[in-house]
Amino acid sequence: MTVDSRVADVRRHELAVFLRSRRERITPDQVGLPISGRRRTPGLRREEVAQLAGVGVTWYTWLEQGRDINASEQVLDAISRTLRLDPYEHTHLFTLAGAPEPPLEKDCKLLSDNVHRMMAKLEPFPVCVRNARCDILAYNRAYDWLMGGLDAIPFEDRNTMIQCLTNPEWRRRLPDWELNLPRVVAGFRAAMAEHLAEPAWKNLVKRLLQESDVFERMWKEHDVSTERIVLKRYLHPDVGLLRFEFSYLYLGRRSEISLATLTPADEETAAKLPSSF
């Protein structure tokens, strides 16, 4: 046995143990499954994980047994969501499976400490960093205040498309969301033209089609646009209507990651921003 094959055996064993440990900590009610009869093992059964993740029971069983099988990024993403892995566990899963680094975590690592310090210095102006897929990679406390507690949203759900289309609280803070949404969806489709084969993009579209009739209707129209929205209104429950102008700074010559700064569009908005966070 070669050194590489021994390392692969150890990795598969660690993957099997890790998956079992994560599965056993999830209860059926956490994932919306009915509890029927006595359960001989804690947490979810293998067949329940397979069903929720959309994979074969035999295949998932082999994965937990440490067999020499390959798992695609799309399947690993589905298993990660089913087992409710946090960002660190998500990355660990991909590493043990020998899969490429998850795109979202990879993008996050591109943000230097200088970017985070700059966002903090720009307060009380709200600032966020997003990639072309509309994932929110970082934000300052002012942006968290503006959007009503982004810290409480699971890492994998911090995406402006997901939140705008599925989160009622988010929509309440965006009085013009219905007006702006066609342009947002058209911009997303235009950006996806360079990522058509990437699982992360396809998974996001699949999820939005399943969870939003509005997105499904607009997606079928095939509209595209590269026009940015430079003026937005927000409705904050504590201070009322706010108006911001957007400025975009791309973090590199060929980067698709941009830092968006929300500058008050009028003195009334500037006066409503908290003096400290």
Side-chain angles (χ1 to χ4, degrees):
M1 182 180 288
T2 66
V3 173
D4 287 344
S5 61
R6 285 198 297 270
V7 170
D9 284 345
V10 171
R11 181 181 291 150
R12 286 194 297 271
H13 172 74
E14 287 296 319
L15 174 60
V17 174
F18 178 68
L19 286 173
R20 285 196 297 271
S21 70
R22 301 304 90 174
R23 172 171 59 84
E24 291 173 354
R25 73 178 184 178
I26 303 294
T27 60
D29 62 292
Q30 286 180 292
V31 293
L33 292 177
I35 302 176
S36 58
R38 291 189 60 184
R39 302 177 70 91
R40 290 179 293 179
T41 57
L44 297 177
R45 301 186 179 105
R46 285 174 176 168
E47 57 267 28
E48 291 170 336
V49 174
Q51 177 188 352
L52 291 168
V55 300
V57 176
T58 300
W59 185 90
Y60 180 77
T61 300
W62 286 351
L63 194 66
E64 273 205 15
Q65 290 174 343
R67 297 203 189 188
D68 187 7
I69 58 176
N70 294 321
S72 68
E73 179 186 321
Q74 184 174 359
V75 168
L76 291 173
D77 274 331
I79 292 173
S80 177
R81 288 195 301 272
T82 299
L83 298 178
R84 302 199 169 190
L85 303 186
D86 66 26
Y88 306 104
E89 293 169 332
H90 186 74
T91 300
H92 188 60
L93 172 65
F94 272 65
T95 301
L96 292 178
E101 186 174 23
L104 184 52
E105 281 79 359
K106 185 176 181 180
D107 284 349
C108 286
K109 289 180 180 178
L110 294 176
L111 304 183
S112 66
D113 290 340
N114 288 338
V115 173
H116 290 277
R117 285 196 290 269
M118 178 170 60
M119 289 193 294
K121 289 293 185 181
L122 287 171
E123 289 175 348
F125 292 177
V127 180
C128 72
V129 178
R130 298 184 301 177
N131 58 18
R133 203 171 48 249
C134 301
D135 297 314
I136 301 173
L137 308 178
Y139 49 91
N140 62 6
R141 291 172 295 180
Y143 189 82
D144 188 59
W145 168 82
L146 179 66
M147 301 312 303
L150 209 60
D151 288 346
I153 296 175
F155 181 76
E156 64 274 12
D157 291 343
R158 293 176 190 172
N159 176 285
T160 55
M161 296 280 288
I162 291 174
Q163 292 306 311
C164 186
L165 288 162
T166 67
N167 186 344
E169 174 59 28
W170 190 282
R171 290 198 296 268
R172 278 192 287 269
R173 292 172 182 254
L174 298 170
D176 303 319
W177 78 274
E178 289 183 288
L179 177 66
N180 291 331
L181 189 60
R183 202 180 336 173
V184 172
V185 174
F188 178 78
R189 181 179 279 281
M192 190 175 176
E194 298 184 16
H195 304 273
L196 292 174
E198 296 180 24
W201 286 76
K202 292 192 291 186
N203 288 342
L204 177 57
V205 171
K206 181 180 179 181
R207 175 178 177 179
L208 293 173
L209 289 172
Q210 291 173 339
E211 298 184 10
S212 172
D213 293 338
V214 174
F215 178 82
E216 182 181 20
R217 174 174 53 80
M218 292 183 180
W219 192 248
K220 289 179 178 179
E221 293 172 356
H222 290 267
D223 290 338
V224 293
S225 173
T226 57
E227 184 182 3
R228 288 280 197 177
I229 300 174
V230 295
L231 180 64
K232 284 187 181 181
R233 299 194 308 161
Y234 294 81
L235 189 61
H236 195 280
D238 295 333
V239 299
L241 191 65
L242 302 167
R243 298 174 72 252
F244 291 99
E245 294 178 344
F246 273 63
S247 299
Y248 298 94
L249 171 66
Y250 283 87
L251 305 183
R253 184 177 179 181
R254 299 182 182 275
S255 177
E256 292 185 326
I257 299 176
S258 63
L259 183 149
T261 302
L262 286 67
T263 306
D266 50 50
E267 293 183 0
E268 181 181 357
T269 296
K272 290 179 180 179
L273 298 182
S275 58
S276 62
F277 289 93

